[in-house]
Amino acid sequence: MPAYGSWPSPLSAELLAAGGVGVGGATSRTNADGSAEIWWSEARSTEGGRSVIVRRLADGTAVGNSAVDAIAAPWSARTAVHEYGGGATFHGPEHVYFSNWDDQRLYRIVADAAGTEGAEPEAISPEPEEARAWRYADGRVSPDGSWIVAVGEDHHTAVVAEHGEAVNSLVALPAAGGEPLLLSSKTDFVAAPRFSPDGRWLSWFSWNHPDMPWDATTLCAAPVWQSDKELRLGNVKVVAGGTGVSVHGADWSADGRLVYSDDRSGWWNLYSWMPGDNQDTALTQLDDCEIGTPPWVFGLQQWTETADGRIFAVVTRDAVDSLAEVVDGALLPVNVNAAGFTSLSSVDDQLLLVTTHGDGLPTIVTVDPTPSTSENLGGPDPSQVVRAADELGFDRAWFAPAQPISFESNGRTAHAFFYPPTGVGMVGDGDELPPLVVIGHGGPTSHTQRALNLKIQYWTTRGFAVVDVNYGGSSGFGRVYRQLLNKAWGIVDVEDCVNAARHLAAQGRVDPERMAIRGGSAGGFTVLTALIKTEVFSAGTSLYGVADLEALATDTHKFEARYLDGMIGPYPEDKAVYEARSPINHTDGFSCPLLVLQGTEDAVVPPNQAEAIVAAVAAKGIPHASIMFEGEQHGFRRSENIVRSLEAELWFYGRVFGFAPADQIEPIVDAVGL
């Protein structure tokens, strides 16, 4: 049999790049005749990473309606607010609105005509004096369709010079087009402006440096006054949140309550508030799971209301999602065959979900959450498919299942998902144990899930074992676990990745002499630190990873400009800690080969970080290789770059671990010592 790592796999890098269309943001829109249309977005690597708005035509049938692209190339519905974006598309009574990637202006399309010949988007925000200087995200249209309220981000040179960074504010624009009106700019950040059903109230979140939105946010609401020419806010009411409390995911229910996630208890629970009340009401009292997730991007919400007034939520327990109805403080499980949910909304009395699976790509489904569905988890899956998962063209038996594991890590319990090498007709060669790839996720305040990840299966189908670590500091386990990285980034995450590898090696499941660690962004920092501090790993791959904490603290985008205050300490007061934790200052600790992959237009972790670490390992004579991808930002979106990065990494491990990949791969020509 072929050696581990050299198994022939049906999951080529080209197939992975072409088949992995990102699906999200499914929502419904009611037409004038009362029929419901379903809209969603697709991120297509084969179209240069373009984000496409897709419309499912309402033709009177329940399932299988035709779908069309609502915007044609080169339009791309993607916003650069906070750099990570999200919330680029929203709709009103007659139009669908979106932020266009190339110029960051707001546009609208007539909903009924979207996707038909000659239907062109119309700009409704003014052209800024400097290219892409005004950016918009997370917008909502007033119930009467006359006004838009959105998050505005001003990047004009003079504004940045005056304030030292971009300025974020709540802005209002006439839905037919016009100049933005400033509603609120008293805080460093705002998010999620939402109109009440009668249009008389507006809610939003705000927070200030150095907090991140999962640390401390404030939920505000204010009465709205509007005319044809003006929209103003009345006296602002602080609804919830404040120091040490993270509130997010708020929207209004049909009966006029404001419903949101709040972690004052240590777990994100649902609460509601009615204008005029002096306090809010707990809708759930969870203490081992939560309804909420770190809002890295705009538009995240873990609950929805159906037309009959029922509330449903995504419940996360130990980084595993389930779906439940919230009834009198209790959770009634809903039977949906899914490993996770990336989008939750409703259409009439049904749930509208983007579901992820352990053995398939994302699917858009509707679910009729009848009482029998909620009570009988063993029954048939009630989902009806709106958009089927993309087919990869080979047997799903090739996919390795996610196996939750927990292990001891320096006196704590840490968590991960383990994936054994899996292939149809493939087994190990004699007594050989498989090489291991340890993954440290990005964020670092996020978590990995058990949904199918083709970039994990790329390794397992070739004979690698993979462990995807939810190290201390990850979300999905409550606030206490989420805060384990406070003042401990580069310590706790490294300990847990190292101990995950040692745990699997001690169980005889992987080869202790052939263990690699890989990660992107914050995960890249974990990679570099682990290679410096330990000798557990024989190779490492840093994808747009942090090498110099001081440089990151002084040269990154506004959203994360003070992120390190919590995880490292305030800068420059704790300059010595930054120096001590920065991999670039300890390259003498490197003793194994390193691969560095980086985008040239990364505004989150600028390319000078990658260049510095490559120069440092080169100076020490460490075997290494690097590729700079022109035009890529934080993460790779173009199919040709996704292909090259994966194949280059496989080639790298083959050179280090001594196997010949079955794939025909172009070597990295500038590699040193490999």
Side-chain angles (χ1 to χ4, degrees):
M1 294 296 293
Y4 285 118
S6 62
W7 292 359
S9 169
L11 181 57
S12 66
E14 290 84 2
L15 183 59
L16 185 155
V21 173
V23 180
T27 186
S28 65
R29 180 187 164 277
T30 303
N31 293 321
D33 62 3
S35 62
E37 290 188 346
I38 294 175
W39 297 66
W40 65 89
S41 63
E42 295 186 0
R44 301 174 181 170
S45 62
T46 55
E47 297 184 29
R50 189 169 74 96
S51 292
V52 183
I53 305 171
V54 180
R55 171 193 182 200
R56 192 194 74 171
L57 303 179
D59 60 5
T61 61
V63 181
N65 298 346
S66 58
V68 297
D69 290 356
I71 55 174
W75 301 100
S76 180
R78 183 179 164 209
T79 176
V81 177
H82 290 183
E83 301 299 336
Y84 294 112
T89 305
F90 52 98
H91 61 77
E94 298 179 354
H95 295 85
V96 172
Y97 303 83
F98 70 96
S99 179
N100 183 51
W101 175 250
D102 284 345
D103 59 8
Q104 288 299 291
R105 297 174 69 188
L106 275 178
Y107 289 79
R108 70 178 186 178
I109 49 178
V110 177
D112 289 344
T116 61
E117 186 176 353
E120 279 293 310
E122 172 191 8
I124 63 166
S125 65
E127 185 173 359
E129 296 176 2
E130 302 170 29
R132 306 178 97 231
W134 263 112
R135 306 173 184 181
Y136 303 93
D138 215 10
R140 286 297 185 273
V141 182
S142 60
D144 66 0
S146 60
W147 286 91
I148 292 169
V149 176
V151 177
E153 192 171 80
D154 190 347
H155 285 258
H156 282 92
T157 302
V159 171
V160 174
E162 178 182 355
H163 296 273
E165 59 186 5
V167 171
N168 294 71
S169 57
L170 282 182
V171 297
L173 299 94
E179 293 288 335
L181 305 176
L182 181 66
L183 297 181
S184 176
S185 62
K186 296 180 179 179
T187 56
D188 293 325
F189 299 96
V190 291
R194 301 291 185 263
F195 284 100
S196 62
D198 60 10
R200 298 175 60 185
W201 283 83
L202 185 79
S203 65
W204 69 94
F205 299 106
S206 64
W207 69 98
N208 289 304
H209 290 310
D211 289 318
M212 298 299 288
W214 45 85
D215 296 325
T217 52
T218 300
L219 174 58
C220 300
V224 176
W225 181 90
Q226 69 177 72
S227 68
D228 292 342
K229 297 182 179 180
E230 187 178 11
L231 185 146
R232 291 189 285 110
L233 300 180
N235 292 332
V236 177
K237 164 73 174 179
V238 174
V239 176
T243 303
V245 178
S246 170
V247 190
H248 72 96
D251 208 345
W252 298 82
S253 61
D255 63 3
R257 293 178 298 161
L258 184 59
V259 180
Y260 53 91
S261 295
D262 179 307
D263 75 347
R264 70 187 74 170
S265 69
W267 301 83
W268 273 308
N269 276 276
L270 284 186
Y271 293 79
S272 70
W273 172 81
M274 181 72 78
D277 289 352
N278 291 323
Q279 62 183 27
D280 53 14
T281 301
L283 301 182
T284 62
Q285 296 180 349
L286 309 174
D287 60 8
D288 66 345
C289 56
E290 55 190 352
I291 301 170
T293 190
W296 275 100
V297 297
F298 292 103
L300 296 180
Q301 185 173 299
Q302 300 295 90
W303 72 274
T304 193
E305 181 184 34
T306 51
D308 55 4
R310 300 160 69 189
I311 289 179
F312 295 84
V314 175
V315 182
T316 305
R317 176 181 282 106
D318 294 342
V320 175
D321 288 347
S322 62
L323 191 65
E325 182 181 0
V326 179
V327 180
D328 297 329
L331 299 179
L332 302 182
V334 176
N335 180 35
V336 179
N337 178 25
F341 308 91
T342 60
S343 176
L344 169 66
S345 60
S346 63
V347 51
D348 298 327
D349 290 342
Q350 296 186 326
L351 299 178
L352 176 60
L353 310 166
V354 179
T355 59
T356 57
H357 305 267
D359 61 355
L361 296 173
T363 307
I364 301 178
V365 300
T366 58
V367 174
D368 182 8
T370 61
S372 60
T373 300
S374 299
E375 296 166 2
N376 299 319
L377 287 182
D381 185 347
S383 304
Q384 293 186 308
V385 175
V386 174
R387 183 199 186 278
D390 293 335
E391 290 295 333
L392 293 170
F394 58 86
D395 194 327
R396 293 184 177 185
W398 278 90
F399 292 141
Q403 301 176 8
I405 63 171
S406 298
F407 51 93
E408 191 277 334
S409 183
N410 288 38
R412 298 175 288 100
T413 298
H415 309 275
F417 293 106
F418 175 68
Y419 298 83
T422 303
V424 176
M426 294 286 119
V427 294
D429 187 9
D431 295 330
E432 181 191 17
L433 291 172
L436 174 68
V437 175
V438 177
I439 299 177
H441 63 69
T445 310
S446 59
H447 66 267
T448 186
Q449 297 180 303
R450 60 191 178 97
L452 178 69
N453 184 331
L454 293 181
K455 292 182 180 178
I456 288 176
Q457 305 296 334
Y458 181 81
W459 304 112
T460 57
T461 57
R462 285 166 171 76
F464 288 83
V466 174
V467 63
D468 203 0
V469 185
N470 276 318
Y471 47 75
S474 301
S475 57
F477 301 86
R479 187 177 180 96
V480 171
Y481 194 83
R482 197 168 77 237
Q483 291 183 326
L484 286 176
L485 280 189
N486 286 3
K487 303 297 189 291
W489 190 30
I491 299 174
V492 169
D493 51 321
V494 172
E495 290 173 349
D496 291 357
C497 286
V498 166
N499 286 318
R502 287 173 171 163
H503 171 76
L504 293 168
Q507 290 187 330
R509 305 179 78 175
V510 300
D511 185 347
E513 301 301 319
R514 296 191 297 168
M515 299 197 295
I517 182 170
R518 77 184 303 271
S521 191
F525 170 75
T526 302
V527 167
L528 298 174
T529 305
L531 296 183
I532 288 168
K533 288 187 174 182
T534 76
E535 296 183 355
V536 172
F537 302 106
S538 303
T541 299
S542 171
L543 298 98
Y544 36 92
V546 178
D548 187 337
L549 293 173
E550 285 191 275
L552 185 66
T554 57
D555 183 21
T556 190
H557 61 137
K558 178 183 177 180
F559 181 65
E560 294 181 274
R562 300 290 298 278
Y563 191 13
L564 300 190
D565 282 35
M567 296 190 297
I568 302 295
Y571 187 85
E573 294 89 332
D574 287 338
K575 178 180 173 66
V577 181
Y578 280 73
E579 293 175 345
R581 299 265 186 92
S582 293
I584 194 64
N585 297 329
H586 304 282
T587 54
D588 56 331
F590 278 114
S591 59
C592 71
L594 175 68
L595 174 63
V596 175
L597 304 170
Q598 174 73 39
T600 62
E601 296 183 7
D602 192 338
V604 178
V605 180
N608 56 12
Q609 297 251 341
E611 293 165 352
I613 204 71
V614 169
V617 296
K620 194 187 175 189
I622 298 292
H624 67 278
S626 66
I627 302 176
M628 302 292 285
F629 292 99
E630 291 293 332
E632 290 285 9
Q633 292 97 39
H634 198 61
F636 306 145
R637 291 176 172 267
R638 299 176 183 174
S639 57
E640 64 271 22
N641 294 336
I642 295 171
V643 169
R644 181 56 177 154
S645 65
L646 282 168
E647 291 186 339
E649 190 174 352
L650 177 60
W651 176 86
F652 171 69
Y653 294 147
R655 301 295 293 179
V656 175
F657 292 152
F659 65 82
D663 309 66
Q664 295 297 315
I665 300 175
E666 177 186 351
I668 304 175
V669 295
D670 296 328
V672 176
L674 295 170

